[in-house]
Amino acid sequence: MNKMKNNCYGICFFISVAINILLCIGIYLYIGGARRRDMKQEISWQSSLALTWTEKAAAEAEAVAAASCSGHGRAFVDRLTSDGQPVCECFNCYSGSDCSVNSLECAAVVTSGDLTFLEPFWIQNAANTAVVISGWHRMSYNYAHGTKMLTELENCIRKLHSIARNAVTEGRYMVFGVGSAQLLSAAVYALSSGNSSSPSNVLASIPFYWLFRDQTSFFSSKYFEFEGNTNSLQSKNSTNNQDVIEFVTSPNNPDGELKKPVFGGKAIYDQVFYWPHFTPIPEPSDQDIMIFSLSKLTGHAGSRFGWAIIKDRDVYEKMLLYISMSDVGISQDTQLRALKILETTIDEDGKPFFEFAYTKMTERWDRLTSAFSKSTRFSLQNRHPFHCNYFNETRLPTPAFAWVKCEREEDNDCRAVLEAGKIISLSGSRLSATDRYTRVSLTVRQDDFELLMMRFTNLISLENGSLQTM
């Protein structure tokens, strides 16, 4: 009897094992088959995408990118011939259909604030930053949640500042604008007194970005007006019982200094150059209104995108109102492009981007400083090293602009002196300083920088009566 029971137990055990094996094989085949079906669907999906409406746009973009323009020009998808061929737009001093003709006698033009020296980085990252926009992309005024600001872009910007360690964003409001220019105007409106009998006085410290004066004067209303230089108003002790709004540019345009307000009242911090490739970052900025722009971070000036970080809710709402009344919000196409650009900027905690940009600026300042060390006629602004929390090292600032001074008594128009040496710069008076100073942009393309160095070298060589060429 016991023997029969043991046999029954053995048979049952064998059957149980067999059933489990078959069940496992069935599950494996089912899951494997499902995975294979999913993979086939994914491959089919990807293949179908490659052959639909994006094909023509992708082909145009690739054709334009392949146009070399002899290395001295650029082609763009918004300018093609009637038969769809790229058109080369030549850099300064170059001409011809393929930009191969070099004008050896042309001047180095260094007046602009364009950051075209960053073009090679974005060419290297073409795949990560390319955007194809469908004809039906976001045709509404608003995003799905009813706002005019892309949430993903705002989150990306907050992460960017956390990585760069240059601004406090936690617990702060954010407003998007058409570049920093619109946000500066919106901030003046938001901070103005609202009292027509006593309009707010808008001030800035010399030297300062001319847009502060020109834009504020252009949009002057019964509530605010541009008063001028902070130092002259301070010396007159004429700010008593007056409402003052002060522009504080830090780092300053044109000399790169980290500025502080002269008065203790309302201040608008223009911090578009407060990034690790232009200045050491000693600490995160924590001001009431801080304004940044895509153009002075990544070089994409043509996209016209900026943002303000704001402490006070009332000021935030007034700035939102200004943007809404003047533009009904910011282009959603622009916000999409900004998102793609900034996602690449913060990749690997920003190291590839900031190291590329900082290395380029350091090389240029080293070469310029070396050339000017041989001159007694021209001098550069002083630069002092301090600790950068982003790179975790003590280093010199590498400003976007050289603030050049002509030291000879007779050289009272430094811009004219440089122009005679075939360098076109920006006069000091344009920045409310004396014309003994002139601003020289160092953020130009490599072609333009090489020409600039050749012209400076020749000018400095003339001091010793021995003209050199490069």
Side-chain angles (χ1 to χ4, degrees):
M1 188 71 177
N2 289 334
K3 186 175 181 181
M4 290 179 64
K5 285 183 178 180
N6 289 336
N7 288 336
C8 287
Y9 289 147
I11 292 169
C12 290
F13 176 76
F14 175 78
I15 292 171
S16 175
V17 170
I19 290 172
N20 278 283
I21 291 172
L22 290 171
L23 182 62
C24 288
I25 291 172
I27 292 171
Y28 173 79
L29 291 173
Y30 175 78
I31 293 174
R35 285 177 176 170
R36 284 191 293 276
R37 286 194 299 274
D38 289 344
M39 288 176 66
K40 286 180 180 178
Q41 289 174 355
E42 183 177 351
I43 291 170
S44 175
W45 176 71
Q46 291 175 342
S47 298
S48 65
L49 279 182
L51 298 174
T52 58
W53 60 270
T54 59
E55 184 178 15
K56 182 175 182 291
E60 284 183 350
E62 291 284 356
V64 164
S68 71
C69 302
S70 303
H72 303 296
R74 199 77 69 216
F76 301 96
V77 292
D78 56 7
R79 190 182 177 199
L80 302 174
T81 63
S82 58
D83 58 348
Q85 295 303 307
V87 176
C88 287
E89 295 184 8
C90 301
F91 300 159
N92 180 44
C93 300
Y94 290 89
S95 60
S97 60
D98 62 350
C99 305
S100 59
V101 181
N102 184 9
S103 175
L104 299 177
E105 297 303 315
C106 77
V109 180
V110 284
T111 55
S112 174
D114 286 344
L115 270 58
T116 46
F117 82 104
L118 291 173
E119 275 184 348
F121 179 85
W122 298 115
I123 291 172
Q124 292 167 17
N125 288 273
N128 294 332
T129 54
V131 179
V132 178
I133 299 178
S134 65
W136 61 91
H137 174 76
R138 294 203 179 277
M139 294 174 65
S140 171
Y141 284 109
N142 300 328
Y143 289 99
H145 45 72
T147 73
K148 293 180 171 61
M149 287 173 51
L150 181 61
T151 301
E152 290 76 8
L153 178 55
E154 180 178 345
N155 292 339
C156 185
I157 290 172
R158 292 182 186 275
K159 184 176 180 181
L160 165 68
H161 285 294
S162 175
I163 288 171
R165 303 178 184 181
N166 68 336
V168 175
T169 63
E170 186 176 355
R172 305 292 186 266
Y173 302 99
M174 191 176 295
V175 174
F176 295 168
V178 182
S180 62
Q182 186 184 41
L183 292 164
L184 291 167
S185 187
V188 170
Y189 164 79
L191 294 179
S192 62
S193 65
N195 183 353
S196 59
S197 63
S198 181
S200 300
N201 293 300
V202 183
L203 306 165
S205 294
I206 292 175
F208 59 80
Y209 181 34
W210 67 86
L211 192 71
F212 297 159
R213 176 190 62 241
D214 294 357
Q215 181 173 264
T216 305
S217 298
F218 185 83
F219 292 112
S220 182
S221 75
K222 60 184 179 181
Y223 299 126
F224 61 85
E225 57 188 12
F226 191 78
E227 184 65 28
N229 176 23
T230 54
N231 293 333
S232 62
L233 206 64
Q234 186 184 41
S235 64
K236 297 175 184 177
N237 293 318
S238 55
T239 59
N240 295 334
N241 302 319
Q242 292 188 26
D243 190 72
V244 172
I245 301 171
E246 184 178 353
F247 284 119
V248 181
T249 311
S250 185
N252 194 35
N253 174 1
D255 55 23
E257 289 188 14
L258 294 182
K259 293 284 191 176
K260 294 182 179 180
V262 174
F263 304 105
K266 304 172 185 176
I268 301 167
Y269 276 75
D270 179 351
Q271 302 204 275
V272 295
F273 290 107
Y274 195 52
W275 296 104
H277 45 310
F278 291 128
T279 183
I281 306 295
E283 60 184 355
S285 184
D286 188 17
Q287 310 302 332
D288 291 343
I289 302 177
M290 300 174 286
I291 294 175
F292 299 88
S293 73
L294 196 67
S295 65
K296 296 305 183 285
L297 167 61
T298 66
H300 293 85
S303 293
R304 306 308 306 132
F305 180 76
W307 62 95
I309 301 169
I310 306 154
K311 281 186 181 180
D312 183 75
R313 183 174 182 83
D314 182 58
V315 172
Y316 159 73
E317 290 179 345
K318 286 181 179 178
M319 289 184 68
L320 268 184
L321 176 63
Y322 183 96
I323 300 298
S324 179
M325 290 294 100
S326 58
D327 270 323
V328 199
I330 307 307
S331 162
Q332 294 175 3
D333 294 355
T334 290
Q335 292 188 58
L336 173 59
R337 189 185 190 207
L339 176 63
K340 295 293 288 184
I341 292 295
L342 292 180
E343 284 177 339
T344 300
T345 303
I346 64 175
D347 191 36
E348 298 181 40
D349 286 339
K351 286 294 190 290
F353 173 76
F354 286 123
E355 287 179 356
F356 176 93
Y358 171 55
T359 299
K360 285 287 185 185
M361 291 305 300
T362 300
E363 289 172 353
R364 292 183 175 193
W365 269 102
D366 286 349
R367 290 178 62 185
L368 191 69
T369 302
S370 176
F372 272 65
S373 67
K374 302 176 179 65
S375 174
T376 58
R377 187 180 188 184
F378 306 106
S379 64
L380 297 168
Q381 70 263 46
N382 292 322
R383 296 183 297 145
H384 304 288
F386 52 99
H387 188 75
C388 176
N389 284 333
Y390 177 77
F391 285 116
N392 195 28
E393 64 181 18
T394 298
R395 67 175 186 83
L396 285 168
T398 47
F401 306 110
W403 189 226
V404 178
K405 182 182 180 182
C406 286
E407 298 288 350
R408 290 180 181 173
E409 185 178 351
E410 64 270 22
D411 290 344
N412 54 18
D413 187 345
C414 200
R415 181 193 178 283
V417 172
L418 265 58
E419 186 174 6
K422 297 184 179 179
I423 298 172
I424 308 301
S425 57
L426 195 71
S427 65
S429 57
R430 189 76 178 95
L431 297 145
S432 298
T434 72
D435 280 331
R436 191 165 289 280
Y437 290 89
T438 189
R439 193 192 78 174
V440 173
S441 174
L442 302 182
T443 60
V444 293
R445 293 184 178 94
Q446 194 63 34
D447 274 355
D448 294 314
F449 183 73
E450 295 300 337
L451 181 60
L452 172 68
M453 290 305 303
M454 181 176 75
R455 299 303 187 213
F456 264 134
T457 300
N458 287 344
L459 262 179
I460 292 168
S461 297
L462 286 171
E463 295 178 38
N464 301 318
S466 57
L467 181 65
Q468 296 180 8
T469 60
M470 290 179 61

